[in-house]
Structure formats: structure tokens, C-alpha cells
Amino acid sequence: MRKFKINPVEHTIESEINEKIDNLTKPKGSLGRLEELASKICLIQQTLSPELRSPHNILFAADHGILEEGVSVSPKEVTWQQLSHFSKGGAGINFLCEQHGFKLVLVDAGVDYDIPSGHGILDKKVRKGTRNFLHEAAMTPEELDLCVERGAEVVRNIFAATGCNVISFGEMGSGNTSPSAVWMHLFTGIELEKCIGAGAGLDTPGIRHKYNILSEAIANYSGEDNPEAKIAWFGGYEMAMAMGAMMQAAELGMVILVDGFIMTSVILAATQFYPQILDYAIFGHQGDESGHKRMLDVMGVKAILHLDLRLGEGSGAVCAYPIVESAVRMINRMDSFQSVNVTKYF
């Protein structure tokens, strides 16, 4: 798999950042998470005057062979239908991107449908859906490599064309909570049952069936005992492509806004190669999918919002963006006590 140069953020200027924040016209710590976010963004950008430029949300779409086992209430055709819907502008992620000034980029990573040209959807298709990981590897090592490279390429092109330095990632793929739950289980050690939720709306018997299928799939695993092999065996093309995109974004020093359960499992997978990628990540929301909070806790991170969201598409990350923007405005726009001759009152 392609190698990335992801450096841990340098903390040399951290004391200067803290001093600037602590001397803004407010009681120390009174802006809470805004202060934490501002400090993190300053460290990512290595400046006391950070800026957010040209925000983008990249939405990767693909289908999953495991859907054949009845692990989701969403039929496979919903993937391409929703991707088409996104291109027309009337979906959840569309109004959020429009509201918060994000450019939405749609990518066909492996949809089981011939998407016609002329809809503004990037064709990065690796194959028409993954294989059924109950019986065999979802993707080959070569396909995983291709996904990582194509995801990275999308980010590089956006960076070169727009100077974007803050980016979020979303997904569309019926059944993709199943590979996400398996990745979570394999890379955290949390019991599989605690990693599995309702997805798009499974009832209790449906969740039990999903658990039984995923348990059997894990028991059937015959690949090597390393993260790369496990990611390929149980993953999705849109997930692997998003992983490559996240790693490229970190290499470029961009602020990464992480969405819900599926994208959190993707950055969890990325940490198996580059733990320092979390230095560049801001988690938009804690989703409603079972296991998301547990995964956040294992990584030692906190989400900005908790709105019981479970839409995907990057919606929670984009929804949280105004809070991130407020943190940057705080450190750039607030006066210091010295500049306005106000006595520190704490």
C-alpha cells in the first residue's frame, strides 16, 4: 500500500497559542471547546492566526457484497439512486453544504451500476461492488492499493486547484455499517455485539441476524494477521478510498472533519498505519449508531455535536463546521486585554 509522510504536529508554538487564547477578553477557559478547537487548528497550521479556506466535502459511494446476506434494510439500488439524487442537489448533504459554503464532490468508488456521464460524478470505480466477505475477501490487495491511491488523488487535485485546507468526507453504500462494525471490532478489541447497530433501520431480529452473519464472517477469515489484509478482506471500496483521502489530507496538513460511525471506523483503520493522523482530525458529531461513542472513546477523542444523527454523507461533519469556524474567528477577531486596556477580571 502507498506510503504517506504524515508528521505529528509540532508543539513548539503551543505555549504562544495558549497565551494568546488566555489573554483574549474573556475569563480563562470560558469559551470551552472553542478554545480547544482553536488551539488544535493553530497547531495543524503552525500559526497563531489560522484560516479556513475553500471547505470541501468528498462523498465516496460503493456497493457491498455482504448485502446479499440480508444485513441491511436498504436494497442495493439505493446506492446509485442516492448518488444520482446528490448530483441533482436535493438531498440532506446538499442543503448542508450549501448552507455552510462547502463544495460537494461526488465519487463513484465502486457502485454496482453504470453511472451515465454528465452528472458531475467522478468516475473512480474499482469494481461494481465488493465481494461477499462472508465467503471471501471483499477486495484484493491490488484493489485496496488502487482505492487508496484514487482517494488520495481526489484530495491532491482539490488542494492543487483550490488551496482547500479543511475537508470532510462522507459515504453512500447500502450495508456499509457491517464492514464498519467489523473494522471497529478488529481494531479496538471491543466485543462484536457492542459494535453492531441498526444501520438504516434494522429491528431487533434483524440486528441479531446481522451479528450472526458478521460473527461467521470473522470466524471464516483466512487472511494474514495484519491491518492491511483485514481492511481488504472486510472493507468497502468507498471506505478504503476515504482512508486514502484522509491520509493524503493529513500529509498535506489539512484539517480533517470526521463524520459519523462509518468515517470514524475509516480513520480508526488509518491509525493502524499512522496513529498521528488524529493530530489533524476534528470529530464532527457522535452519531446514533451503536458503538460510535465506544469507538471515539477508544481513540481518546470528543465529538463536537451529539444530535442523534445517522445519515452519513458527511452530514454531521458539515453540520459541525460553524463551530469550527467560530473557534477560528475567536482567536483571530477577539481583542486581547492589552490591546483594549481592559483589566483582566479573573
Side-chain angles (χ1 to χ4, degrees):
M1 195 170 72
R2 176 198 167 130
K3 303 296 183 185
F4 295 86
K5 186 179 180 182
I6 302 175
N7 297 317
V9 297
E10 176 59 57
H11 285 262
T12 306
I13 64 169
E14 188 167 18
S15 60
E16 295 175 71
I17 296 168
N18 292 338
E19 182 179 2
K20 181 175 182 180
I21 292 173
D22 290 346
N23 281 285
L24 299 176
T25 49
K26 59 174 181 58
K28 183 178 179 179
S30 62
L31 282 175
R33 290 295 304 281
L34 294 186
E35 299 185 24
E36 293 176 22
L37 290 168
S39 179
K40 181 163 190 134
I41 296 166
C42 286
L43 289 172
I44 292 170
Q45 298 184 359
Q46 288 294 291
T47 179
L48 273 64
S49 301
E51 60 177 324
L52 303 173
R53 298 190 306 269
S54 188
H56 280 63
N57 182 64
I58 306 176
L59 193 157
F60 297 99
D63 281 304
H64 296 259
I66 194 64
L67 201 66
E68 299 166 9
E69 305 301 328
V71 294
S72 174
V73 297
S74 297
K76 185 167 62 175
E77 61 267 21
V78 169
T79 303
W80 73 260
Q81 290 170 351
Q82 274 291 78
L83 186 59
S84 175
H85 186 203
F86 299 145
S87 73
K88 296 179 176 69
I93 192 58
N94 296 105
F95 85 78
L96 287 167
C97 284
E98 180 181 349
Q99 179 182 3
H100 300 308
F102 275 68
K103 169 71 174 177
L104 177 62
V105 178
L106 304 174
V107 181
D108 175 4
V111 178
D112 190 7
Y113 188 81
D114 292 317
I115 305 290
S117 60
H119 291 271
I121 299 168
L122 297 180
D123 182 8
K124 301 293 181 182
K125 193 192 300 284
V126 172
R127 185 177 182 269
K128 286 186 174 181
T130 57
R131 299 159 190 85
N132 185 344
F133 64 67
L134 178 62
H135 306 296
E136 59 183 320
M139 66 184 86
T140 66
E142 294 75 20
E143 288 169 349
L144 173 59
D145 292 348
L146 191 57
C147 283
V148 169
E149 177 51 44
R150 289 183 177 178
E153 179 187 29
V154 174
V155 172
R156 285 198 305 273
N157 289 343
I158 289 170
F159 179 80
T162 69
C164 166
N165 70 353
V166 55
I167 195 161
S168 62
F169 301 98
E171 40 62 41
M172 180 64 216
S174 295
N176 59 11
T177 59
S178 288
S180 299
V182 174
W183 281 7
M184 175 184 169
H185 165 67
L186 294 176
F187 299 137
T188 67
I190 295 172
E191 300 166 57
L192 179 63
E193 192 166 13
K194 294 180 179 178
C195 302
I196 293 173
L202 288 172
D203 57 15
T204 300
I207 294 172
R208 175 52 51 180
H209 171 72
K210 182 177 177 179
Y211 170 76
N212 291 336
I213 292 294
L214 299 187
S215 294
E216 185 178 351
I218 292 167
N220 290 344
Y221 178 67
S222 59
E224 296 181 25
D225 187 20
N226 62 63
E228 195 167 339
K230 292 172 182 178
I231 287 167
W233 191 286
F234 295 106
Y237 293 134
E238 82 280 29
M239 296 164 65
M241 215 167 278
M243 184 178 73
M246 287 179 181
M247 293 190 291
Q248 181 64 83
E251 182 179 83
L252 292 170
M254 301 167 81
V255 176
I256 301 169
L257 301 179
V258 184
D259 193 42
F261 180 68
I262 293 156
M263 288 297 102
T264 301
S265 76
V266 167
I267 202 164
L268 172 68
T271 64
Q272 307 307 299
F273 309 100
Y274 305 101
Q276 64 272 29
I277 196 172
L278 293 180
D279 287 356
Y280 301 86
I282 292 172
F283 291 78
H285 78 111
Q286 179 187 312
D288 193 41
E289 182 70 14
S290 175
H292 192 195
K293 183 180 187 302
R294 292 187 180 97
M295 191 159 33
L296 295 171
D297 289 344
V298 165
M299 288 189 285
V301 297
K302 295 185 294 185
I304 296 173
L305 304 175
H306 187 186
L307 301 176
D308 296 332
L309 304 178
R310 54 184 178 88
L311 176 63
E313 305 173 10
S315 54
V318 175
C319 201
Y321 180 69
I323 306 298
V324 177
E325 192 173 32
S326 291
V328 170
R329 287 177 179 269
M330 176 204 75
I331 196 167
N332 287 333
R333 299 290 299 276
M334 281 187 74
D335 292 321
S336 67
F337 285 108
Q338 297 93 327
S339 67
V340 292
N341 295 317
V342 172
T343 300
K344 279 191 177 183
Y345 55 95
F346 60 90

